[in-house]
Amino acid sequence: MGSQILRQPDGLYAVFSSETDTIVVWDATEDEIVEHYVQIAAERARRDVQRVLGHVSAGEPRRAYFQFTLTWESALEKDREHRGEAWEYFQQAQRS
């Protein structure tokens, strides 16, 4: 499942999909080809984030992050150790 950018004889661009064995974009400028791939990447990222959020919302973050799963407390501790700003914000909020 891939694609290939092709230059048309008139200097414009096309995209051939190996998934469908068809040309899925044609008569496109360079900017339009970039936008085509940006949209594909955005859709993929949206699906990935929705999948992860589903696991986290269900209380099953390990299904998304496996052995690298952090707790809220351990994430704040790492933030503090590496001079982040969130740990201090939440520490002050607890005192209020």
Side-chain angles (χ1 to χ4, degrees):
M1 292 194 303
S3 62
Q4 182 177 339
I5 299 170
L6 304 166
R7 188 168 189 146
Q8 298 173 193
D10 62 3
L12 293 174
Y13 297 92
V15 176
F16 181 86
S17 168
S18 62
E19 186 175 333
T20 61
D21 281 342
T22 62
I23 295 173
V24 295
V25 174
W26 59 89
D27 288 342
T29 64
E30 288 184 12
D31 288 342
E32 290 169 329
I33 293 296
V34 169
E35 187 59 29
H36 170 74
Y37 283 96
V38 165
Q39 289 299 317
I40 290 171
E43 290 167 14
R44 184 177 303 124
R46 187 174 288 109
R47 283 191 310 270
D48 290 349
V49 170
Q50 287 170 335
R51 179 185 56 78
V52 170
L53 278 170
H55 293 313
V56 172
S57 295
E60 299 174 335
R62 280 183 148 319
R63 293 189 68 190
Y65 299 113
F66 309 100
Q67 73 268 25
F68 302 107
T69 303
L70 295 171
T71 63
W72 175 247
E73 293 77 17
S74 62
L76 284 178
E77 180 61 24
K78 284 183 178 287
D79 186 76
R80 185 189 64 73
E81 290 171 1
H82 295 274
R83 296 188 174 105
E85 297 175 9
W87 73 273
E88 196 168 20
Y89 172 84
F90 285 100
Q91 186 178 49
Q92 289 175 0
Q94 274 186 329
R95 285 187 240 157
S96 300

